[in-house]
């Protein structure tokens, strides 16, 4: 198994190498697969992210969720914790820690009521484990969610590897969507 820092570095470079037009096509395809899924259709609230560093785009999911009258949530980092904040068409965004975009305001949403969380990741493996940016924000956040909340990885197929070395605090996602559809589901 390869060390997380090596995988993180390789995958960030791999994402940077995707040409802009191909990135757009891949992002459209994986978002379309998610929107057509029962996970999306059955969700009343969806937490996701505004992409940085060539993460898959989420704008089509956001547009459809607004149209379908779903509650959209974005992460805000307060101290060392993620908080779910409601995002609406009129919500302004500000630059957050690590160049993320966060909603302006404090309209917190109860974590116990979140139906789906789309979790950012630099790499995922075939067992639904993930490598994030190395600060542990999402692992802490995910560990506090309702057991019925569905955790989704949204990534490019090229960012899935065979195995990630996990530690006891690492929280896997329940399923991974790529440009070719649902790629993997967590084994029970």
């Amino acid at each position: 198994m390869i060390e997380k820092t090596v995988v993180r570095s390789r995958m960030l470079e791999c994402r940077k190498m995707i040409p802009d037009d191909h990135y757009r096509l891949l992002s459209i395809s994986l978002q379309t697969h998610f929107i057509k899924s029962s996970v999306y259709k059955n969700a009343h609230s969806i937490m996701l992210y505004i992409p940085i560093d060539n993460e898959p785009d989420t704008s089509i999911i956001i547009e459809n969720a607004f149209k379908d009258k779903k509650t959209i949530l974005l992460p805000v980092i307060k101290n060392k914790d993620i908080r779910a904040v409601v995002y609406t068409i009129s919500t302004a965004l500000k630059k957050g820690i690590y160049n993320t975009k966060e909603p302006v305001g404090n309209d917190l949403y109860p974590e116990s009521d979140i139906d789906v969380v789309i979790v950012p990741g630099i790499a995922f493996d075939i067992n639904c484990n993930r490598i994030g940016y190395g600060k542990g924000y999402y692992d802490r956040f995910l560990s506090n969610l309702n057991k019925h909340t569905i955790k989704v990885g949204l990534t490019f197929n090229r960012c899935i590897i065979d195995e990630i070395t996990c530690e006891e605090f690492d929280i896997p996602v329940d399923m991974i969507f790529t440009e070719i559809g649902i790629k993997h589901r967590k084994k029970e």
Side-chain angles (χ1 to χ4, degrees):
M1 287 187 276
I2 305 171
E3 189 176 319
K4 281 184 182 180
T5 54
V6 173
V7 173
R8 191 175 286 120
S9 176
R10 285 182 187 168
M11 289 298 153
L12 283 171
E13 189 60 34
C14 180
R15 284 197 323 214
K16 284 181 192 174
M17 302 299 291
I18 302 172
D20 288 346
D21 56 340
H22 194 58
Y23 165 83
R24 279 189 292 280
L25 291 173
L26 294 174
S27 287
I28 288 168
S29 182
L30 61 83
Q31 290 179 89
T32 301
H33 286 296
F34 177 72
I35 291 164
K36 289 181 177 180
S37 74
S38 61
V39 172
Y40 173 83
K41 290 176 183 172
N42 294 330
H44 298 288
S45 59
I46 300 173
M47 183 170 174
L48 42 69
Y49 58 87
I50 304 293
I52 60 169
D53 297 328
N54 271 24
E55 291 173 325
D57 189 20
T58 57
S59 62
I60 296 172
I61 296 170
I62 292 171
E63 289 171 25
N64 277 272
F66 281 143
K67 183 182 72 168
D68 295 334
K69 298 184 177 14
K70 295 181 185 293
T71 301
I72 302 168
L73 310 165
L74 291 178
V76 172
I77 297 176
K78 299 268 188 195
N79 299 319
K80 293 192 176 205
D81 294 317
I82 289 177
R83 298 288 183 236
V85 174
V86 176
Y87 178 64
T88 67
I89 292 173
S90 61
T91 304
L93 295 172
K94 66 177 181 169
K95 186 176 180 180
I97 192 167
Y98 309 113
N99 292 320
T100 59
K101 291 181 182 174
E102 298 181 345
V104 174
N106 291 316
D107 191 5
L108 295 178
Y109 194 81
E111 293 172 3
S112 59
D113 293 346
I114 301 172
D115 295 318
V116 176
V117 176
I118 296 177
V119 185
I122 295 172
F124 293 87
D125 74 10
I126 60 175
N127 296 313
C128 294
N129 296 304
R130 65 178 272 281
I131 292 178
Y133 290 89
K135 305 296 182 193
Y137 290 107
Y138 269 91
D139 290 315
R140 286 190 296 278
F141 177 74
L142 296 173
S143 69
N144 292 322
L145 293 177
N146 184 315
K147 66 179 180 175
H148 300 294
T149 301
I150 299 170
K151 299 173 289 297
V152 173
L154 200 63
T155 192
F156 304 119
N157 197 52
R158 67 183 70 198
C159 296
I160 296 180
I161 60 176
D162 289 337
E163 190 172 7
I164 291 173
T165 304
C166 292
E167 302 181 49
E168 65 183 56
F169 54 81
D170 290 331
I171 306 293
V173 294
D174 297 308
M175 62 187 63
I176 302 168
F177 284 84
T178 71
E179 66 272 16
I180 59 175
I182 296 178
K183 182 70 176 179
H184 297 285
R185 292 184 188 271
K186 184 171 74 175
K187 296 174 183 163
E188 295 300 324

